[in-house]
Amino acid sequence: MVYLALALAAVAALCALDLMLTLAVLRRLRNERTNGSSHTPSDTQGGGIPKGAVVGPFETRCVEDARLTDEDLVDGAVVGFFSPMCPPCKRTLPAFVAMATALQGVRQVIAVVISVTGRPDEEAEALAMVEQLAPFARVVREDDTGSCLTAFGVSAFPSHFEVSVAAGARPTVAAVGDEVLGGQPARSV
């Protein structure tokens, strides 16, 4: 009977250890997803097309109702993608606004705010982002199937790109992630 009690206690201890390890893994995965943590190489940082890739075709409208296409991109243009429910986006937004302010009138700056759920809290956050960005950038509002999002292959937020446009050629990505913000971290690890 004593051996049975000891065996049962050992099995219970192993089950408890397994449960603790499983919960730790789930917590870490949730934190990485919530914080937008990414362990991608720096040339693809941001979850989009890599440096040197051709920007796909797109056609959209800015919040001021002006048409914007891939053909409107100019050499040195900076394009940032933000999601209102993304904590790293909120932390990166001031650095992007500072960069856009410094570049205003010198280089083209485009900010794409992606709304996915349409929930009132997400819409309020998206409008707040648009208000912060509108004085310094051409702002586009899209959902998760938007043409800008697709053209840049964005799968993580925030994502930042600098575009290079040679005469007669399609726009390509010249820099991504931290490089675009001048070394400012684009995401938390």
Side-chain angles (χ1 to χ4, degrees):
M1 189 62 124
V2 172
Y3 294 114
L4 182 61
L6 288 174
L8 186 60
V11 168
L14 284 173
C15 288
L17 178 63
D18 182 54
L19 179 63
M20 289 185 339
L21 291 173
T22 301
L23 290 174
V25 167
L26 289 173
R27 184 178 310 122
R28 181 173 178 166
L29 289 172
R30 185 186 69 222
N31 286 342
E32 285 182 1
R33 184 166 191 236
T34 301
N35 293 332
S37 178
S38 175
H39 299 289
T40 56
S42 63
D43 65 340
T44 60
Q45 182 178 12
I49 58 176
K51 191 188 294 189
V54 174
V55 175
F58 67 87
E59 183 175 343
T60 190
R61 298 206 85 59
C62 298
V63 293
E64 72 275 2
D65 204 35
R67 181 175 176 263
L68 179 67
T69 73
D70 53 296
E71 295 172 359
D72 296 322
L73 293 174
V74 298
D75 191 47
V78 174
V79 184
F81 291 83
F82 301 92
S83 177
M85 303 311 282
C86 158
C89 292
K90 292 175 185 174
R91 288 191 296 272
T92 304
L93 192 62
F96 188 85
V97 168
M99 183 223 27
T101 304
L103 296 178
Q104 189 177 18
V106 178
R107 289 171 53 192
Q108 183 183 45
V109 179
I110 299 167
V112 183
V113 178
I114 306 297
S115 297
V116 178
T117 66
R119 295 185 334 229
D121 58 334
E122 183 182 32
E123 287 304 309
E125 290 284 338
L127 288 174
M129 281 185 165
V130 168
E131 287 176 10
Q132 282 183 291
L133 292 161
F136 314 105
R138 296 181 74 182
V139 181
V140 173
R141 288 279 314 267
E142 288 188 337
D143 63 18
D144 58 347
T145 62
S147 64
C148 281
L149 192 74
T150 303
F152 283 87
V154 174
S155 62
F157 300 99
S159 290
H160 306 100
F161 303 89
E162 182 178 328
V163 177
S164 174
V165 181
R170 301 262 320 132
T172 59
V173 174
V176 295
D178 293 349
E179 293 177 292
V180 177
L181 295 178
Q184 297 294 325
R187 59 186 72 255
S188 61
V189 177

